[in-house]
Amino acid sequence: MADNRRSKVVTQGHQRSPNRAMLRAVGFGDGDFTKPIVGLANGYSTITPCNMGINTLAQRAEAALKQAGSMPQMFGTITISDGISMGTEGMKYSLVSREVIADSIETACNGQSMDGVLAIGGCDKNMPGAMIAMARMNIPAIFVYGGTIKPGHYNGQDLTVVSAFEAVGQYSAGKIDEEELTAIEKNACPGAGSCGGMFTANTMSSAFEAMGMSLPYSSTMAAEDEEKAESTEKSAFVLVEAIRQQILPSQILTRKAFENAISVIMAIGGSTNAVLHLLAIANTIGVELTLDDFETIRKRVPVFCDLKPSGRYVATDLHQAGGIPQVMKMLLVNNLLHGDALTISGQTIAEVLADIPDTPKPDQNVIRPWDKPMYQEGHLAILKGNLATEGAVAKISGVKNPQITGPARVFESEEECLAAILDKKIKPGDIIVVRYEGPKGGPGMREMLAPTSAIIGAGLGDSVGLITDGRFSGGTYGMVVGHVAPEAAVGGTIALVEEGDSITIDAHQKLLQLNVSEEELNKRKANWQPRSPKYSRGVLGKYAKLVSSSSLGALTDLDC
């Protein structure tokens, strides 16, 4: 091995190691001590449907790793269900779990001097958590996505978990009755797998496929289908060969790979969270990537996939239409993808895509023809201005006119905001400000799916803006701006906004502006005092002390 990892566990130079006795207890035989040891990071849990099918995949991977000539060592990683914790104090642990997952995988693999790692995950933070660990360790690695959920069905409509959140807003607005609300709730999530639209889990799995760290087609397979198990098995064989060839994450996760991922995310209408996670992964692997790079790529890549939350179709529909390889091939032939980027199989992106058609199949509507996109430019706009000097992320898909100027409606938490929406206190033209929900201030940078879904459900999606130093779910759409940095907790301008102030959101001008004089802002700044931390101990206390700005990916090891 490149860094002689295995010898640290099973041998001591030419001496036989006493460590072998413990390895024999976990299944090593005489012929196994010369084989590569592969960590199998198993994200199985019954906390969420996203992860409840993963153990079967892990067992399939374990058998395949042995068959391929390696010795797998399985260990568990955690998950937090964003959809279940949404709108509660528990949601503050969601982004924190990304760091816990990364730390746990790094700790297990480096602590046992493993030669490679295969990570299997489902819910949103499983993917970036695993990839951050892979970037830190730089040992041969592959990610296996647990798979997407199949759509629920009710009254002729395909449902996702977001349907349930939007139904709450519709019920509050008197558009549906309690019977229909309950029916949507009961039918939205029919089984195992991650949330079915192009929300954060499917966005990040697609990004990893585009970057070459997962196998082709694997990012859009349904969790319950046999092809997902077969792809998992194949991933194990590919990883063992990568260990033999010493294909490392640092060779795959290059600047070109990140640009490929961003292009794919724009094309499929992916989640705002991808911005945060890709910044974090790039920072970890040592690739220079900034918010401005997302804006540069957005200007040249159209959205040509009609996917939920703002579109009509779900990830399994995309899979049937040709999946991420079809999306990538269209980008490649239009000079918007780096074909020479390396993948974990040892092939280049161009080689992987060689047999994929240049144009999408005519008998489907999920992937639009190149000359008939959903939007001419990408949907994730980077806004700056005196309200976000470090930047903010706007998701403008599904919005008729992505610019609005209106009075600020200021809330100090997500709960206060949601109550106002459900009580019909928000009017067309208002701009909601939810602050002290950032990485430090929350802490944990909660997602705002409950209020944004309530806005959509009430029919205010095109007439009400919302800005926050927190995050949005991948299921969010509308006139929404998140990741506002600097955040309120460190004295960012968002902390200085007062009820009724004029705010401008203008995606055309890439502007997020508080229309208050500099003199007045300086006066407010002088009077501003930081709040006492909400948590001083435990995971959230540690996180608040360590976490960086969202503009840098909200990492906790940035200054270590």
Side-chain angles (χ1 to χ4, degrees), residues 251-545:
Q251 298 169 268
I252 301 170
L253 298 175
T254 62
R255 169 75 185 201
K256 289 181 178 180
F258 283 95
E259 291 184 357
N260 285 349
I262 296 169
S263 293
V264 167
I265 288 163
M266 294 296 177
I268 61 179
S271 166
T272 53
N273 285 306
V275 178
L276 189 78
H277 298 323
L278 289 181
L279 287 171
I281 298 163
N283 195 300
T284 302
I285 200 71
V287 169
E288 186 175 338
L289 190 72
T290 69
L291 282 171
D292 293 335
D293 293 317
F294 288 83
E295 183 61 28
T296 298
I297 294 172
R298 180 185 82 86
K299 297 292 288 184
R300 62 183 187 234
V301 177
V303 180
F304 55 85
C305 294
D306 187 2
L307 296 167
K308 291 179 182 292
S310 59
R312 293 179 292 172
Y313 299 103
V314 296
T316 50
D317 296 320
L318 175 61
H319 190 64
Q320 294 302 316
I324 295 303
Q326 181 64 75
V327 173
M328 293 176 69
K329 187 60 175 284
M330 292 171 67
L331 291 167
L332 181 66
V333 298
N334 285 281
N335 300 313
L336 292 171
L337 209 68
H338 299 289
D340 58 343
L342 183 68
T343 73
I344 187 62
S345 69
Q347 295 176 293
T348 65
I349 290 291
E351 289 170 339
V352 170
L353 301 176
D355 296 331
I356 306 299
D358 291 355
T359 58
K361 294 183 288 189
D363 60 346
Q364 55 81 42
N365 297 309
V366 186
I367 305 174
R368 296 277 194 98
W370 185 260
D371 58 353
K372 295 179 181 178
M374 298 285 293
Y375 308 100
Q376 293 293 337
E377 295 180 346
H379 63 301
L380 300 180
I382 305 303
L383 309 188
K384 293 187 177 180
N386 68 356
L387 250 176
T389 55
E390 293 179 15
V393 184
K395 187 174 186 180
I396 56 177
S397 51
V399 178
K400 294 176 183 176
N401 184 19
Q403 53 188 160
I404 183 174
T405 296
R409 302 297 310 279
V410 182
F411 302 96
E412 309 298 329
S413 71
E414 178 187 3
E415 287 87 350
E416 291 181 19
C417 169
L418 179 61
I421 297 168
L422 297 180
D423 288 345
K424 302 182 178 63
K425 294 179 180 178
I426 301 300
K427 307 300 180 187
D430 286 346
I431 296 184
I432 297 168
V433 178
V434 185
R435 62 191 181 193
Y436 292 98
E437 290 284 9
K440 286 186 179 293
M445 208 178 177
R446 283 195 291 183
E447 292 180 350
M448 304 287 140
L449 180 59
T452 57
S453 296
I455 289 169
I456 295 294
L460 298 171
D462 287 314
S463 60
V464 168
L466 189 153
I467 70 170
T468 180
D469 50 9
R471 298 180 297 127
F472 294 117
S473 163
T476 290
Y477 65 103
M479 183 67 73
V480 296
V481 184
H483 308 195
V484 172
E487 62 174 293
V490 299
T493 305
I494 191 171
L496 310 179
V497 180
E498 295 182 358
E499 185 81 9
D501 282 348
S502 173
I503 291 176
T504 296
I505 303 171
D506 191 335
H508 296 310
Q509 301 298 319
K510 296 179 287 184
L511 181 67
L512 184 61
Q513 186 79 13
L514 177 61
N515 301 312
V516 172
S517 71
E518 191 170 343
E519 180 183 8
E520 175 62 20
L521 281 181
N522 288 336
K523 187 186 302 182
R524 295 182 189 180
K525 182 71 173 177
N527 292 327
W528 179 81
Q529 293 292 327
R531 295 182 170 191
S532 298
K534 294 180 180 178
Y535 297 86
S536 59
R537 300 292 298 272
V539 172
L540 293 182
K542 287 191 293 184
Y543 185 84
K545 290 183 179 74

Side-chain angles (χ1 to χ4, degrees), residues 157-201:
Q157 299 286 322
D158 281 350
L159 300 180
T160 69
V161 66
V162 175
S163 306
F165 281 88
E166 291 180 359
V168 173
Q170 293 169 331
Y171 174 73
S172 177
K175 296 184 176 183
I176 61 174
D177 59 21
E178 187 170 358
E179 182 179 356
E180 185 166 359
L181 173 63
T182 301
I184 292 171
E185 173 198 314
K186 288 182 175 181
N187 289 281
C189 298
S194 299
C195 300
M198 193 45 67
F199 310 149
T200 302

